[in-house]
Amino acid sequence: MSLNPPIFLKETEENNSKFVEIQHSQTTSIAAEDPLQNLRLASQEVLQKAQQSGRSKCLKCGGSRMFYCYTCYVPVENVPIEQMPLVKLPLKIDIIKHPNETDGKSTAIHAKLLAPDFVNIYTYPCIPEYEEKDHEVALVFPGPKSVSIKDISFHLQKRIQNVRDKNDDPDRPSIKRKKTEEQDLNDKCQDATLKKIIFIDSTWNQTNKIFTDERLQGLLQVELKTRKTCFWRHQKGKPDTFLSTIEAIYYFLVDYHTDILKEKYQGQYDNLLFFYSFMYQLIKNAKCSGDKETRKLTH
């Protein structure tokens, strides 16, 4: 008896293999076309209804807005807050917004709406003082001195060690420190955990003014992994790796979750893209159908 399988079985196996390859290729292609399709999001029915009914009133300032008020950082009347997801974050986020950044076009507001207990937005030149907390705060900004997310804890620990070495310098005059100062130093040495991350919300051409501010100098700089943006207001002449603010926040948290917290990512922060993904799909559909009214959202 021949030990070789029948010819038709070989053909079946080859066909199945080709089918798997084609299916994988199609899946990869679809994912490339719609990178937001696999998010674990809350129901967006409330946004669908709001989009159909049109602009609504802000219950704080009375302004007419779509989905949310970008001045008051609250959803409008036809988007009940109890129907919006709330996202719990592992650390605090400060967003420094350029004064020339148009409020209605900023995606930073999405983070404040969806994680209000963890996110604060400041309009430059208003910046909190970070000098005494530079061992627990970092700034997301690319550059030669930037470190990767996985190396954040190591570099924060080095900062703490530098403070300890400075205070243990035998050449320093022996001055009795206050008890509170000693306690502050001990606290720093025990905790090298990142507690706050800062993002700059502006066009790339405007970032330098904020980045070079002395209040941000000396902070640990963190650079994100390279990813492509889905933003419909892509900056002209800039590469597609320039992310919108909400994308940068989202991707930072995803990488922080896996690289620092060492936990499997299971969509914990996907709802930060609740508004973003809906508007992305809305505009994508509008471009395909030629719907001029919906396309106004891009301008």
Side-chain angles (χ1 to χ4, degrees), residues 104-116:
K105 294 182 178 181
S106 171
T107 62
I109 295 163
H110 299 180
K112 180 62 178 175
L113 286 162
L114 297 163

Side-chain angles (χ1 to χ4, degrees), residues 105-127:
K105 294 182 178 181
S106 171
T107 62
I109 295 163
H110 299 180
K112 180 62 178 175
L113 286 162
L114 297 163
D117 294 337
F118 298 89
V119 178
N120 284 308
I121 299 178
Y122 302 90
T123 300
Y124 188 80
C126 180
I127 296 180

